[in-house]
């Protein structure tokens, strides 16, 4: 189960600040949100927080692996708080809608490289591309 945001920050050796708590709260409620959306949702709660402060929080939380940054090619970066389960994403080529896809294997890397060139491979980046039901209709 998800631990409390304060405990998450402390476990990652990050100072507990209102902007960090606000970003974690936004991402607990919203999946795959882009930076602009995070900023506007955070500022609805904390109107004095600057854009730069939100960028800094997103960067710090991503580095601490409390949140995950995904960036399908050609799309804006999105953030989510579902971490650590190696799930993948299906992206609509037409409107950019994103949905979670559980990893069929459950751990990284879930694809075996036909030739690993001696590398210790620890992750395969999997993105499914297609057309969402709304765009297909
Ligand atoms: Zn679509
Ligand atoms: Zn996701
Ligand atoms: Zn997988």
């Amino acid at each position: 189960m998800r631990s409390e945001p304060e405990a998450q920050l402390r476990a990652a050796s990050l100072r507990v600040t209102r902007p960090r708590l606000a970003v974690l709260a936004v991402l607990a409620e919203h999946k795959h949100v882009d930076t602009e959306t995070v900023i506007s949702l955070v500022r609805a709660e904390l109107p004095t927080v600057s854009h730069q402060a939100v960028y800094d929080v997103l960067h710090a939380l991503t580095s601490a692996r409390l949140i995950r940054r995904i960036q399908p090619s050609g799309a804006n970066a999105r953030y989510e708080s579902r971490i650590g389960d190696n799930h993948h994403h299906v992206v609509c080529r037409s409107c950019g809608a994103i949905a979670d896809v559980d990893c069929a294997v459950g751990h990284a890397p879930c694809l075996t490289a036909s030739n690993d060139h001696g590398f210790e491979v620890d992750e395969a980046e999997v993105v499914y591309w297609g057309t969402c039901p709304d765009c297909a209709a």
Side-chain angles (χ1 to χ4, degrees):
M1 285 294 100
R2 177 173 304 287
S3 53
E4 291 304 309
E6 289 89 346
Q8 285 183 282
L9 289 169
R10 290 202 186 92
S13 304
L14 291 176
R15 220 153 43 82
V16 176
T17 65
R18 292 188 71 196
R20 285 173 178 169
L21 292 174
V23 169
L24 286 172
V26 163
L27 292 180
E29 291 289 313
H30 304 268
K31 287 171 144 194
H32 311 136
V33 279
D34 64 17
T35 308
E36 289 306 312
T37 306
V38 173
I39 289 171
S40 65
L41 291 167
V42 166
R43 288 170 69 126
E45 294 293 319
L46 300 173
T48 57
V49 173
S50 69
H51 284 221
Q52 189 60 47
V54 176
Y55 286 121
D56 291 347
V57 169
L58 287 169
H59 184 80
L61 296 180
T62 303
S63 297
R65 295 175 180 256
L66 292 181
I67 62 174
R68 180 173 167 196
R69 181 182 192 275
I70 55 171
Q71 185 157 28
S73 64
N76 291 331
R78 313 284 192 98
Y79 295 89
E80 66 183 344
S81 60
R82 181 178 167 184
I83 53 167
D85 63 355
N86 197 50
H87 76 274
H88 307 303
H89 296 98
V90 58
V91 185
C92 177
R93 287 188 195 281
S94 191
C95 70
I98 296 181
D100 286 336
V101 179
D102 288 350
C103 180
V105 175
H107 57 82
C110 58
L111 295 175
T112 305
S114 62
N115 182 350
D116 62 18
H117 297 276
F119 286 47
E120 276 187 35
V121 174
D122 58 33
E123 183 180 0
E125 190 172 293
V126 178
V127 179
Y128 300 96
W129 291 92
T131 306
C132 76
D134 287 346
C135 291

